[in-house]
Amino acid sequence: MSMTSRLPAALLDSPFMRACRREPTTYTPVWLMRQAGRYMESYRRMRARVSFLELCKTPALAAEVTVDAVERLGVDAAIIFADILLILEPMGMQLEFSAGDGPLLHNPLRTAADVERLQEVDAAESLSFVMQAIRATRAALAPNVPLIGFAGAPFTLASYMIEGGSSRQYTRTKQFMYTQPQVWHALMALLARNAAHYLNTQAAAGAQAVQLFDSWVGNLSPADYRTFVLPHSREVIVSTTPGVPVLHFGTGTNALLELMREAGGDVIGVDFRVELDNAWQRLGDVGIQGNLDPAVLVAERPYIRQRVREILRQADGRSGHVFNLGHGILPTTPVDNVRALVDDVHELSTREPS
Ligand code: 1CP
């Protein structure tokens, strides 16, 4: 029996799950990357009491933040409150989220010996707080709202491990890849095994779909993507539990879309640097997620509505569109604008059931 057939009908037939399977929906489902975050007053109040890592590691609080965002916004899916970098700790990396500099990895990878020391992760054990948060969230969410689990894709995680934090040019990552290709592939293979197992453990704990975040892969040429990344992203995706849709997301990927499609995924996430209709024309029979520029949400209400209309026009009523931003919500975004966006998407996309 597949995973899907065991899901309650309320989840199985929800607009988001239907769109992941490219089935018709009565309106276009919408959720937003970083829908729980600093732009929300309730989140800032929570963060005044606990650090980001503490929040991620306290299941009741992570569940509260996840569900709170869904209820305030009226979105069609929840995404578990966690971070792509959490898996790096049990792998053996020293992770810190510093207030000013973003994430820091204090023991960045340099040599083959550094990679050999890394661990396979037993997610049920080492990331049990994520599984508990998923179970608590599933229990608290409305029965018709699917919960998305997620993991960082091998390239994006490798870049943090090698650079020691965020980066602009990815020089050390590329140097590693070009000068120690065998070590690179060993690192990517380990990240792929860990990510697949982590995603499947989240699905078993109660996530109905999973998103693979390859946020920074757009910094690679198509040839480098094919050689150094595609086999490993594909390995993650082919290893996921059948029946659990995979959303495969990256930014700056205009030159890589066909290759990302080749790597796999039921839904390909595109950012705002590509036209949605162009992306869909190139990708063919696959779902598309996106792709409003998050900066539009700091503009005025009528303008937001106009831009929603434009994206829906490009999607042209095709089955398999999941409305989202092209990247995460900006911290200066007014919550009321996000709520209005969700309403606009629902209202402007409503169609008769066929
Ligand atoms: O409170 C705070 O100051 C922490 C800010 C924050 C938040 C709210 C970070 C630190 N992570 C998160 C949550 C988070 N991260 C979610 C939660 C669910 C939701 O979307 O609502 C998700 C899905 C992520 C995933 C994530 N973390 C990505 C991939 C998505 C993307 O934005 O491309 C990446 C790259 C990270 C790394 C990360 N986490 C946090 C920061 C500041 C960063 C660095 C980003 C960078 O390198 O520029």
Side-chain angles (χ1 to χ4, degrees):
M1 204 201 240
S2 76
M3 269 319 265
T4 14
S5 55
R6 256 177 283 162
L7 278 187
L11 286 174
L12 197 60
D13 300 335
S14 64
F16 172 81
M17 294 301 287
R18 288 183 62 89
C20 288
R21 300 190 301 267
R22 284 188 296 125
E23 294 168 6
T25 55
T26 48
Y27 56 85
T28 301
V30 52
W31 69 280
L32 292 323
M33 286 183 277
R34 295 283 174 96
Q35 63 194 19
R38 269 180 293 184
Y39 78 104
M40 274 188 176
E41 159 73 22
S42 52
Y43 179 83
R44 290 193 299 269
R45 261 189 278 119
M46 177 79 82
R47 283 281 284 100
R49 294 192 287 126
V50 293
S51 72
F52 176 66
L53 268 181
E54 248 178 289
L55 176 48
C56 291
K57 292 179 178 181
T58 311
L61 297 185
E64 184 183 325
V65 166
T66 304
V67 175
D68 182 65
V70 171
E71 290 178 349
R72 281 175 200 274
L73 302 176
V75 285
D76 298 290
I79 181 160
I80 190 64
F81 191 84
D83 197 88
I84 62 165
L85 302 177
L86 295 175
I87 197 170
L88 300 186
E89 268 190 326
M91 286 184 73
M93 304 297 296
Q94 292 157 27
L95 171 66
E96 184 197 349
F97 285 94
S98 70
D101 308 318
L104 293 174
L105 284 309
H106 292 292
N107 52 343
L109 305 179
R110 293 286 175 269
T111 65
D114 294 341
V115 172
E116 278 155 26
R117 271 193 292 274
L118 295 171
Q119 304 288 312
E120 303 269 346
V121 173
D122 178 347
E125 188 183 304
S126 308
L127 295 162
S128 61
F129 52 88
V130 176
M131 307 313 147
Q132 289 170 38
I134 287 175
R135 282 188 284 268
T137 300
R138 189 60 275 164
L141 273 179
N144 61 348
V145 177
L147 175 60
I148 303 168
F150 68 90
F155 174 80
T156 291
L157 288 182
S159 79
Y160 281 101
M161 298 168 94
I162 293 167
E163 304 288 340
S166 307
S167 180
R168 291 178 68 84
Q169 308 280 354
Y170 300 89
T171 312
R172 282 181 185 277
T173 307
K174 292 180 183 184
Q175 182 183 38
F176 199 110
M177 186 157 95
Y178 300 147
T179 60
Q180 311 184 75
Q182 282 182 319
V183 184
W184 169 265
H185 282 294
L187 170 62
M188 292 288 279
L190 174 64
L191 286 166
R193 284 196 300 281
N194 281 342
H197 162 75
Y198 183 34
L199 291 174
N200 291 342
T201 309
Q202 292 180 61
Q208 281 69 52
V210 292
Q211 178 153 320
L212 191 60
F213 280 98
D214 215 350
S215 303
W216 312 133
V217 76
N219 291 285
L220 294 180
S221 70
D224 283 349
Y225 181 86
R226 183 183 283 289
T227 306
F228 294 107
V229 176
L230 192 154
H232 304 289
S233 292
R234 176 193 280 145
E235 184 57 30
V236 177
I237 295 167
V238 300
S239 306
T240 55
T241 306
V244 178
V246 177
L247 304 108
H248 185 186
F249 168 78
T251 71
T253 55
N254 196 8
L256 303 179
L257 286 180
E258 290 83 356
L259 293 171
M260 283 179 69
R261 163 103 213 257
E262 207 176 308
D266 300 278
V267 179
I268 305 295
V270 296
D271 79 1
F272 48 86
R273 296 170 186 87
V274 54
E275 298 292 324
L276 190 104
D277 52 359
N278 172 269
W280 218 334
Q281 194 183 341
R282 287 161 57 192
L283 291 178
D285 294 340
V286 72
I288 294 272
Q289 176 170 272
N291 70 339
L292 185 72
D293 188 331
V296 169
L297 285 177
V298 298
E300 288 173 353
R301 223 65 74 69
Y303 185 71
I304 296 171
R305 192 172 167 88
Q306 184 186 321
R307 294 288 293 257
V308 167
R309 205 188 290 279
E310 175 57 18
I311 289 173
L312 291 172
R313 193 191 60 71
Q314 294 192 21
D316 196 24
R318 271 174 285 211
S319 300
H321 182 211
V322 176
F323 198 105
N324 206 316
L325 304 179
H327 205 173
I329 295 184
L330 302 168
T332 52
T333 305
V335 177
D336 285 345
N337 284 3
V338 183
R339 231 193 314 254
L341 167 80
V342 171
D343 290 345
D344 284 344
V345 172
H346 287 160
E347 194 186 313
L348 296 172
S349 68
T350 294
R351 47 200 164 247
E352 297 303 316
S354 53

